[in-house]
Amino acid sequence: MTMPFYASAEQIMRDRAEYARKNIMRGRPVVVLKYAEGVLFVAENPQSTLHKVSEIYDRIGFAAVGRYSEYETLRVAGIRLADVRGYSYDRRDVTGRALANAYAQTLNSIFTEQQKPFEVELCVGEVGETSADDRLYRLLFDGSIFDEPEYVVLGGQGEPIVAVLKDGYRADLPLAEALGLAIRGLGTVGADNGKPRELAPNQLEVAVLDRGRPTRKFRRLQGAALTALLPQ
């Protein structure tokens, strides 16, 4: 009689975490940061048809890196959850915190109960009435959740990007300066000989949660609107 293969629970969890972490780091990163009038999402994403950044509800945006089919499943589930809650109760009852908690529970269940974890890392952003009410929730593949005070870097080699953001970030950045800072950070990854890359508009996916817009705050920046904001 053959003996069954045995691995401790700790080893299984470590292997799952390492598997998910390696695959997430292969993708291009996403930067999400607060600026003076809301929340800015910037992704290096030449394939604009496969969005990394999307709207979830009136004041809530979603950004993700990793395996597209998996985070697209989560995005659609989040939209359905928000629609049902807003219809059943009140649109003001749909919050970024509630959505982030639901994502955390789902990711944790998949990580602990299924053989293969989801290879995703998420950010749920919410714009409030004032800048003090803006929220950024970062979620890892195992369901860990963090309330980030200023900015979030998802996926890829995040350390150089975080260093750029740390040096240049301030809470009252206007949109153009915040976009320039995010692009400088993204340009530090994947450069040859340590030189920063220049990212063209067609290499970027950019969106904002704009506090000044009525009702639906999410807006994509494309074409001439994006080019006008880019540093010359």
Side-chain angles (χ1 to χ4, degrees):
M1 185 177 70
T2 59
M3 295 295 293
F5 176 77
Y6 173 78
S8 66
E10 292 83 357
Q11 184 62 47
I12 292 173
M13 293 302 175
R14 282 196 296 268
D15 290 344
R16 290 178 182 174
E18 185 67 18
Y19 171 83
R21 193 176 294 112
K22 283 184 176 179
N23 290 331
I24 291 169
M25 290 183 66
R26 292 194 182 109
R28 296 184 178 95
V30 176
V31 173
V32 186
L33 71 160
K34 299 177 183 178
Y35 72 103
E37 297 302 324
V39 178
L40 171 66
F41 302 83
V42 185
E44 184 181 355
N45 186 18
Q47 296 180 340
S48 59
T49 55
L50 301 178
H51 293 305
K52 291 185 175 183
V53 176
S54 298
E55 179 184 26
I56 294 292
Y57 210 61
D58 296 345
R59 298 172 288 112
I60 301 172
F62 171 94
V65 295
R67 186 176 291 275
Y68 176 78
S69 59
E70 293 176 347
Y71 68 68
E72 179 67 7
T73 299
L74 293 171
R75 184 189 71 85
V76 173
I79 292 173
R80 289 174 177 168
L81 174 63
D83 282 343
V84 169
R85 179 166 295 183
Y87 179 78
S88 301
Y89 302 101
D90 188 274
R91 300 185 77 87
R92 291 171 295 182
D93 292 327
V94 182
T95 64
R97 177 184 296 177
L99 186 64
N101 286 335
Y103 279 143
Q105 293 173 13
T106 300
L107 288 169
N108 180 259
S109 296
I110 293 170
F111 182 77
T112 55
E113 298 173 8
Q114 297 188 15
Q115 186 173 5
K116 190 193 85 66
F118 269 19
E119 304 160 37
V120 297
E121 194 171 334
L122 313 178
C123 177
V124 175
E126 180 180 15
V127 65
E129 296 296 329
T130 67
S131 58
D133 299 324
D134 296 344
R135 293 289 182 266
L136 297 178
Y137 300 100
R138 180 188 180 194
L139 295 108
L140 305 185
F141 53 85
D142 61 355
S144 299
I145 182 172
F146 305 92
D147 186 353
E148 301 289 353
E150 298 173 338
Y151 49 78
V152 174
V153 178
L154 303 176
Q157 303 293 328
E159 293 82 1
I161 303 175
V162 170
V164 172
L165 297 180
K166 186 176 180 180
D167 288 341
Y169 180 82
R170 67 179 194 275
D172 61 345
L173 282 173
L175 178 56
E177 291 185 28
L179 178 59
L181 178 64
I183 293 173
R184 287 200 305 274
L186 292 173
T188 62
V189 178
D192 294 330
N193 300 321
K195 296 181 180 179
R197 293 179 299 142
E198 296 290 339
L199 297 176
N202 60 2
Q203 295 176 277
L204 298 170
E205 181 182 359
V206 181
V208 293
L209 292 172
D210 187 347
R211 199 180 346 271
R213 286 173 61 86
T215 313
R216 295 177 64 178
K217 310 297 184 181
F218 186 88
R219 176 169 64 101
R220 292 192 180 276
L221 298 177
Q222 300 172 315
L226 175 59
T227 304
L229 291 169
L230 293 176
Q232 298 301 317

